[in-house]
Amino acid sequence: MNIRKKRYLVPLALLVSAPAWPPAYVCAKSITLYGNWRAGFNGSDRDDSVNGFTDFRHRYDVRWTPLVTGRINLNADVGYTNNWVRDKGTRQILNPSMNIGVNNDIFAFGFDSYMVLNSLDNGPDRTTTAWNVDLSSSWDRYLWPRLSMSAGQRQEDIDYSGSSRPDGDSLYSFATTSAFWEWNRLDMMYSYLLAQTDDSASGSVYDQASHTAQLNYQDSFWDNRMNFGFSQHYYQITSEYTFDQGATPRVSVPLTNGRAGNDFTPLTGALPANAALVDGNRDAAAFTIQVQQPANLAAQTNFNPIDRLYVYTTKDNNLLLADTAAVTWDLYTSNDGITWQRIRENVPSSFNSDEFRFEVITGSVQAFFVKLVATGWIPGLDIGVTELEAYTTPRGGAGGSTSKTTQHKTNLFLGVAPTRSTNFTYSFSWDQADYTGVNEAETEQIVHTARFNWFVSRYFNPSIGFSDVIQNYTLTDDTENRTYNLSLRSTPIPTVDSTLTFLYGEYYKNSERNTTNYNINFNTLATLYPDLTTEFNVGYARYRSDLDYDESDSLYFRWVLRSRLRETLSADLTTEYSTYDAQYEIIPPSHLDHGGVTLDSSGGSTGQTSLNVSWRPSSLLSCSLNGVSTYGDAQDTAQTMVFTADYLALRTAKTNLMFNYRFNYSTRDSDTINNFGFVWGWDFSNFFILRTTGNYVVSSGVNSWNLTTQLTAKF
C-alpha cells in the first residue's frame, strides 16, 4: 500500500506548454478577459481610529474555451488576484487551471489541473498544485456494468523564509476504481480507494485503503398498497501511520454522519443531517452560522481520539477585516447523537486567515459524536461553513500505528395500506462497526420505528407511533431511547386544522431506566378571514430521574396572528411565554457529607412579544418595522425596535441609485443607531460595470462611515 511520491506533476506541463496565444480566428470566439477592481474606505470620530484607505483588491482573468469538436471541450483559465488590507499587508494569488473533457458512446474522459501560488507579506508563501484524471464507461447496455477509474495528486509547499520554522510540503495521492450494476429494482455498487498523504513537515506518512460495497432493492405490490425496501452497506478502511522517531505528526481523523442546525437546547436532541459538512469540499458552503443563532456543528468520530477541530469557511474577504476573536465555541460529546454532555466551555480557538478556517483546540477527546456550539459571533457578519475536519496526534509503538475499521449496515422498510383509510410503516436499521489497532472498540446501533395512521374522518384522524434506539458499546455504557406517541388530528371545518399530541419517553443506561419524560402538545391553525390567519400552540413537558430526586416541569405557549391588511401592507404579531420549575439533588463534597439528601430548586419564566410590519406603497419605496419586547424573571427585560426604509431614486436601463435608512434602538444599552446608506450601480458600456456602496452611522457612542467602490470589466 504505497503510492510512489512524485515531486513534480507531469500533467501540469500541458498547461505550461500550451500555445502562448491561439490563432486569431479562435480568439474572437473563445477568449474572455475579466477584470475587477475594488477599494474600501472607512473612518470614525473616535480618537484612536485610523481613517481613510482600508483595502484594495484587483483581480484579472483570461479564460480560453475553444470550440475543439462536438465531443471534445477545453477550458483554460489564468487568474491573478492582489489583495491589500490595512495593517495586514498584501496577499497575491496566481491561479492557472485547465480542464479537458472527451465524451463519446463508449467512454468519458476528463482531466483537471490547477496551480495556486500564494504570496503574503506577513506570512509564509504557499504553492499548491493538483491534477485529477477520470475515465468512465458511457455504454448503455442491459446488464452491463458501469465502470469508472480516477487518480490524482495534490501537493502543497510552504515557504517559511525569514522565520525559524522549517519549510514543509505535503503530497496527497489517490487512485480509485468503482463498478455499478443494476437489474430491474436491484442495484449494486463496489468501490476501492488507495490513498497516501506524505507530510515532510511532521515527518509522517499516512496510507489508506478502503472497500465500499452497497446493495439496494425496492419494490411495490398490490397496486402500490405495499412498499418494500432493503439495503445492505459494507465499508472497510485500513489506515497506517508511520512517522520519524520523536516527531509529533498531526493526522486527519475520518468524520462521518455530519450534522448541523441551530439548537437553543444543545444538551438534548438530534440535529438535521448535513452530509456536505464532511464531504471533503472546502469550497461549497454547507451551513451558515448566523449572528446570535446557536449553530451546532456535529460529526461522528467513532471513538477515535481527537485533539483539534478545523471549521473551514467560505473565502469571504470580510473575515480578514472582522474581529474573528469574537467567535467562541463550547464542546459537546455524545454516545448516541441525541443526549449530549458539555465537556468544555469557551475552548481555545483562532482564525487562520491563510486557510480561512477556525482552529479549535479541543484537547484530548474520545467519543462517538463530537459537537461544536457557537456561543460568540462577529457583529453583523454571517459565516459560511464549508467543511468540518478533525485531527489527532497518533500514539503507537516505534514510530507508527495501524488501525482498521469494518462497518456493516442494514436498512429495511415496509409500508402497507390495508385500506384506503389506514396506513402502516415500519423501518429497521442495524449498524455494526469494529475498530482495531491503537483503539479497540465495537459499536452497535439498532433502530426500530413504526407508525400506524387511520383516517376515520376529517373530524378524527389518529396515529400512533413507536421508536426504539439501542446503542451498544465496548468502551462506554450501553444506552436505549424508547419513545411512544399518540397524535389526534381534526379538521372540523376547512379553515381549522388542529393536532393534539401525547408523547412518553424512557432513557435506559446498561438496561436500567434512568429518566422518563412526558410531553403534551396542542397546535391549531385557523384562517379567520381570507387575509387573516392565526396559529395557537401550547405544550407541557415533565422530566423525572429514576436514580435521584431530579425532576422538572415546563409549560410553553405561543400565539401568532398573520394579516395582509392590503396588497402592499402586511403585519405579523407573535407572543411567546414559557415557565419552568426544577428540583435537583445537591451532592456535597465528601468531607461535608453527613448523610441525608439535600435538595435545591430553580425556576423562572420567559416571554417575548414581537411585531413585524412590512409596507411597500410603490415599486420605488419599501418600509419595514420590527419591534420585540422581552420579559420574565429568567431573562433581562428589554425592548428593541428596528425600522428600515429603501427608496429607489433612479432606475434606467443602465443606472440605478437606491437610498436606505435603518433605525435601531434597544433598552439593553440605551443606544440609538441611525444608519444612512446608498447603493449606486452604473453599466456605462457593454464591457464595464461600476458599483458603489456607502453608509454613515450616527450613534450615541461613535459616528462612523464606510465607502466601497467596485469596477468590473468583461470582454
Side-chain angles (χ1 to χ4, degrees):
M1 183 172 37
N2 184 23
I3 297 179
R4 191 172 185 85
K5 182 176 179 182
K6 301 294 183 182
R7 292 292 178 180
Y8 54 88
L9 301 176
V10 177
L12 286 178
L14 295 175
L15 180 61
V16 178
S17 61
W21 196 256
Y25 65 87
V26 177
C27 295
K29 295 183 179 180
S30 60
I31 289 185
T32 301
L33 304 178
Y34 172 86
N36 181 272
W37 301 264
R38 187 179 70 181
F41 310 83
N42 66 17
S44 70
D45 57 8
R46 290 177 51 182
D47 295 336
D48 58 348
S49 66
V50 179
N51 301 332
F53 205 15
T54 59
D55 63 282
F56 179 65
R57 175 186 184 275
H58 49 109
R59 176 176 175 84
Y60 311 92
D61 270 282
V62 179
R63 298 189 180 100
W64 183 35
T65 56
L67 301 176
V68 184
T69 69
R71 297 285 187 173
I72 302 176
N73 59 78
L74 170 66
N75 296 282
D77 182 278
V78 178
Y80 171 76
T81 303
N82 186 301
N83 290 331
W84 175 83
V85 180
R86 188 174 61 197
D87 300 329
K88 293 185 180 294
T90 301
R91 173 199 295 263
Q92 300 182 74
I93 303 174
L94 181 62
N95 180 209
S97 64
M98 183 175 64
N99 168 269
I100 299 175
V102 180
N103 293 277
N104 55 41
D105 296 335
I106 301 176
F107 68 89
F109 171 81
F111 173 79
D112 298 278
S113 64
Y114 69 88
M115 177 183 293
V116 181
L117 296 94
N118 278 271
S119 176
L120 301 108
D121 286 350
N122 300 316
D125 294 339
R126 188 184 305 265
T127 302
T128 302
T129 52
W131 64 269
N132 182 78
V133 61
D134 298 285
L135 179 64
S136 60
S137 61
S138 298
W139 56 68
D140 186 11
R141 297 290 187 272
Y142 184 64
L143 295 181
W144 280 40
R146 295 198 296 269
L147 307 175
S148 66
M149 296 180 292
S150 64
Q153 287 184 324
R154 182 179 184 272
Q155 180 167 328
E156 186 173 47
D157 299 289
I158 305 176
D159 183 7
Y160 290 100
S161 300
S163 68
S164 58
R165 295 183 60 179
D167 295 344
D169 63 87
S170 64
L171 176 67
Y172 172 75
S173 306
F174 78 94
T176 180
T177 182
S178 62
F180 180 83
W181 180 82
E182 62 180 336
W183 175 65
N184 291 339
R185 301 181 183 276
L186 176 70
D187 63 75
M188 293 184 291
M189 182 274 293
Y190 171 78
S191 175
Y192 175 70
L193 169 68
L194 184 65
Q196 182 187 82
T197 301
D198 191 337
D199 191 343
S200 65
S202 61
S204 65
V205 178
Y206 177 41
D207 291 299
Q208 283 183 297
S210 67
H211 304 264
T212 304
Q214 187 168 331
L215 181 146
N216 299 296
Y217 176 78
Q218 293 183 355
D219 207 343
S220 60
F221 311 92
W222 303 332
D223 296 329
N224 288 326
R225 292 175 62 179
M226 179 177 177
N227 294 277
F228 175 78
F230 172 81
S231 69
Q232 179 69 45
H233 180 87
Y234 172 80
Y235 175 72
Q236 183 187 87
I237 179 172
T238 302
S239 304
E240 180 180 354
Y241 304 101
T242 57
F243 49 89
D244 299 338
Q245 292 293 337
T248 56
R250 185 170 300 125
V251 179
S252 174
V253 175
L255 296 180
T256 59
N257 199 0
R259 302 180 180 183
N262 294 322
D263 190 353
F264 287 89
T265 57
L267 287 172
T268 181
L271 293 169
N274 191 319
L277 192 64
V278 292
D279 64 353
N281 189 341
R282 299 179 182 176
D283 298 320
F287 185 74
T288 300
I289 300 176
Q290 299 174 320
V291 178
Q292 299 300 323
Q293 295 296 315
N296 288 227
L297 308 175
Q300 188 174 319
T301 56
N302 299 318
F303 292 108
N304 288 311
I306 67 170
D307 53 36
R308 66 183 58 211
L309 289 168
Y310 288 166
V311 181
Y312 282 87
T313 69
T314 54
K315 304 293 191 297
D316 186 356
N317 287 329
N318 292 317
L319 290 170
L320 302 176
L321 301 172
D323 180 17
T324 54
V327 179
T328 55
W329 313 87
D330 286 352
L331 180 65
Y332 291 73
T333 61
S334 173
N335 290 331
D336 54 15
I338 300 174
T339 303
W340 300 84
Q341 300 79 38
R342 183 173 59 187
I343 61 173
R344 290 185 180 88
E345 296 183 56
N346 197 22
V347 291
S349 170
S350 61
F351 183 72
N352 187 328
S353 58
D354 296 333
E355 298 290 342
F356 280 92
R357 71 187 181 201
F358 287 94
E359 300 179 352
V360 184
I361 311 301
T362 63
S364 181
V365 176
Q366 189 171 3
F368 196 60
F369 278 93
V370 295
K371 178 170 72 171
L372 287 175
V373 178
T375 57
W377 304 267
I378 300 175
L381 180 63
D382 294 340
I383 302 174
V385 176
T386 62
E387 192 73 9
L388 183 66
E389 295 182 358
Y391 290 86
T392 186
T393 301
R395 301 184 301 273
S401 63
T402 302
S403 63
K404 182 178 180 180
T405 299
T406 304
Q407 182 184 30
H408 301 82
K409 187 172 184 179
T410 302
N411 293 310
L412 175 68
F413 173 80
L414 177 65
V416 181
T419 66
R420 292 185 178 181
S421 60
T422 58
N423 179 55
F424 172 77
T425 59
Y426 170 76
S427 63
F428 168 79
S429 175
W430 176 70
D431 190 347
Q432 189 269 339
D434 296 323
Y435 310 95
T436 60
V438 177
N439 303 288
E440 304 282 347
E442 293 183 9
T443 65
E444 181 185 49
Q445 182 187 69
I446 302 174
V447 180
H448 301 270
T449 304
R451 175 162 292 277
F452 178 75
N453 296 279
W454 184 19
F455 184 79
V456 180
S457 68
R458 72 178 191 183
Y459 305 101
F460 185 61
N461 184 7
S463 67
I464 186 170
F466 166 76
S467 69
D468 188 19
V469 180
I470 302 172
Q471 303 271 6
N472 298 322
Y473 309 101
T474 57
L475 297 181
T476 187
D477 297 327
D478 298 338
T479 64
E480 182 177 2
N481 276 282
R482 296 178 187 170
T483 303
Y484 310 83
N485 65 81
L486 172 65
S487 177
L488 304 174
R489 183 178 178 182
S490 176
T491 309
I493 57 177
T495 57
V496 177
D497 189 346
S498 300
T499 303
L500 178 63
T501 303
F502 302 90
L503 184 145
Y504 171 74
E506 297 176 332
Y507 178 73
Y508 291 80
K509 183 179 291 186
N510 293 331
S511 301
E512 181 181 5
R513 192 174 69 179
N514 281 26
T515 63
T516 57
N517 62 86
Y518 312 83
N519 190 293
I520 303 175
N521 184 274
F522 176 74
N523 182 81
T524 185
L525 179 65
T527 301
L528 305 180
Y529 292 99
D531 293 321
L532 181 64
T533 61
T534 184
E535 181 180 355
F536 176 77
N537 180 266
V538 62
Y540 168 77
R542 178 174 175 79
Y543 163 89
R544 184 173 64 85
S545 173
D546 292 0
L547 304 181
D548 49 36
Y549 294 88
D550 292 359
E551 61 181 25
S552 65
D553 297 272
S554 61
L555 180 67
Y556 175 76
F557 162 84
R558 183 172 184 262
W559 178 61
V560 181
L561 184 65
R562 301 182 179 93
S563 64
R564 187 180 179 89
L565 304 176
R566 301 177 59 182
E567 291 186 359
T568 59
L569 179 63
S570 62
D572 297 339
L573 176 66
T574 303
T575 298
E576 298 175 281
Y577 178 80
S578 63
T579 179
Y580 71 95
D581 184 20
Q583 173 185 280
Y584 49 91
E585 181 180 348
I586 299 177
I587 302 177
S590 57
H591 67 282
L592 297 178
D593 190 2
H594 303 293
V597 177
T598 303
L599 300 178
D600 200 355
S601 62
S602 64
S605 62
T606 61
Q608 175 177 296
T609 299
S610 63
L611 175 65
N612 292 279
V613 180
S614 177
W615 182 41
R616 190 177 182 87
S618 71
S619 60
L620 304 179
L621 178 65
S622 63
C623 305
S624 65
L625 174 68
N626 173 260
V628 179
S629 175
T630 59
Y631 51 89
D633 52 17
Q635 65 178 356
D636 296 334
T637 299
Q639 290 79 39
T640 61
M641 185 180 70
V642 177
F643 172 77
T644 62
D646 297 304
Y647 176 62
L648 185 60
L650 177 63
R651 180 175 60 186
T652 66
K654 296 288 186 179
T655 307
N656 64 79
L657 175 63
M658 175 176 286
F659 295 101
N660 52 69
Y661 169 72
R662 180 184 178 95
F663 172 81
N664 192 320
Y665 172 75
S666 174
T667 59
R668 285 191 173 92
D669 49 16
S670 300
D671 192 10
T672 300
I673 300 175
N674 293 273
N675 190 327
F676 304 88
F678 75 93
V679 178
W680 176 48
W682 182 22
D683 302 355
F684 55 88
S685 77
N686 294 328
F687 308 105
F688 293 96
I689 300 174
L690 180 65
R691 181 180 176 87
T692 303
T693 62
N695 68 298
Y696 184 77
V697 180
V698 180
S699 65
S700 57
V702 64
N703 301 331
S704 61
W705 58 272
N706 181 77
L707 180 66
T708 300
T709 184
Q710 178 174 277
L711 176 64
T712 301
K714 184 177 181 180
F715 301 91

